[in-house]
Amino acid sequence: ILAVQGGKIVYERYHPLDSPDTILNSFSVAKSFMSAVVGLLVDDDILDPSAPAPVPEWEGDDRAEITLEHLLQMRSGLNWEEVYGEGGTLGSMLASPDWAGWVIAQSLEAEPGDRFEYSTGTTAVLAEIVADQVGGPDALEDFMRAELLAPMGITSTNFVEDSTGQFAGGLGFDSTTRDFARFGYLFLRGGEWDGEQILSPEWIEYSRTPSPANPEYSAQWWLNGPDGNLIARGLFGQYILVVPDRDLVIVATATQGGDSWTPLFTLYDQFAAIET
């Protein structure tokens, strides 16, 4: 667990077998990272959240109504069931060689935009859309490192890929705790890092805007309360909590069976109790 306030690490503790150099699983924290990558292209007017998602396989059928925003806000309407373990659509996707391709081939189970359904597959589609725009899977990794990670000094990240070499999108932004904190700090500072505007303030605000289908979710981020708090959240207890009114980022990580939620919000409550 680690806390950054006022741009400085103010609390940091590790399991005895871990250290600041330990690369930890992100699981679905990667979804919030993938959203930021999409934001880079939106800021450059290459992608438009309100436009139909640029997926050639959907042209000419009802899936052509799926917008980029529907994907970002988990309301595409594509057939999906986020069940961990064997069976279900998630297991079938992970067993296929082309994760995004498997999801793209799914039919609709609801009208696009109508219903929230949390979907790791949806984020895989976002990763493929960005890869198509920047020149393919290899170019995508180069793009993410050069345009997003390098300006923040993030060097630890390992990306999980499918058999085609495509970044998973919805998982596999594996990094050190400090590098997770750097990513959260970018959103705390309105997209600015060391005087460079990496993401526009408009994209940061968009990331805090509740989905019409779920007021607790935005563009691949969870929302925590009415004060603009953001949470990137991953399986087994991976969290990046961004708290603007306390100038605070808290990162917590855990393994299966651990409880990082309790120390995360115990620490948060300590900061919240301090008079400003």
Side-chain angles (χ1 to χ4, degrees):
I1 190 163
L2 179 153
V4 175
Q5 190 173 48
K8 298 178 180 179
I9 296 174
V10 295
Y11 185 84
E12 185 176 26
R13 290 195 69 178
Y14 293 91
H15 183 281
L17 298 180
D18 294 328
S19 76
D21 297 322
T22 303
I23 295 175
L24 300 154
N25 289 323
S26 76
F27 297 110
S28 289
V29 165
K31 293 178 171 68
S32 303
F33 170 76
M34 192 65 239
S35 176
V37 177
V38 172
L40 293 172
L41 298 188
V42 173
D43 286 344
D44 288 341
D45 295 324
I46 296 170
L47 291 174
D48 178 0
S50 64
V55 178
E57 292 89 341
W58 295 345
E59 294 177 5
D61 65 36
D62 292 344
R63 296 172 300 174
E65 299 298 316
I66 300 171
T67 67
L68 187 67
E69 182 168 86
H70 291 155
L71 294 171
L72 286 164
Q73 296 179 345
M74 299 290 190
R75 52 192 184 106
S76 69
L78 291 171
N79 176 52
W80 189 262
E81 186 179 10
E82 189 83 3
V83 175
Y84 301 102
E86 295 183 5
T89 50
L90 177 61
S92 296
M93 182 196 81
L94 295 176
S96 71
D98 178 359
W99 294 349
W102 190 92
V103 180
I104 287 169
Q106 297 303 299
S107 59
L108 291 177
E109 62 178 7
E111 287 294 318
D114 282 0
R115 188 176 77 190
F116 175 84
E117 183 161 29
Y118 187 80
S119 167
T120 296
T122 291
T123 320
V125 176
L126 288 173
E128 178 141 312
I129 287 172
V130 174
D132 288 345
Q133 301 300 314
V134 302
D138 291 341
L140 173 60
E141 181 168 339
D142 292 342
F143 176 80
M144 294 188 296
R145 292 192 186 280
E147 300 299 324
L148 193 54
L149 300 184
M152 291 185 283
I154 293 178
T155 60
S156 67
T157 301
N158 292 332
F159 291 114
V160 171
E161 302 172 344
D162 67 13
S163 296
T164 72
Q166 171 67 49
F167 172 47
L171 58 109
F173 168 56
D174 299 343
S175 307
T176 64
T177 307
R178 289 181 178 181
D179 280 348
F180 286 143
R182 287 184 172 93
F183 176 66
Y185 194 76
L186 178 69
F187 279 75
L188 184 72
R189 286 288 177 261
E192 182 181 327
W193 187 276
D194 198 20
E196 179 182 356
Q197 199 70 45
I198 299 173
L199 288 168
S200 69
E202 291 79 13
W203 183 260
I204 303 302
E205 186 60 30
Y206 180 76
S207 300
R208 292 194 177 101
T209 303
S211 162
N214 185 346
E216 296 180 351
Y217 200 78
S218 62
Q220 306 279 300
W221 284 87
W222 293 94
L223 305 176
N224 176 248
D227 299 324
N229 295 355
L230 294 170
I231 301 182
R233 191 168 80 189
L235 186 67
F236 304 137
Q238 327 310 321
Y239 299 105
I240 303 173
L241 173 61
V242 180
V243 188
D245 70 348
R246 291 287 165 172
D247 195 19
L248 177 67
V249 174
I250 304 177
V251 176
T253 60
T255 53
Q256 186 173 6
D259 171 22
S260 58
W261 184 262
T262 298
L264 174 74
F265 276 93
T266 299
L267 190 57
Y268 170 77
D269 288 343
Q270 296 302 308
F271 283 101
I274 297 171
E275 293 286 342
T276 56

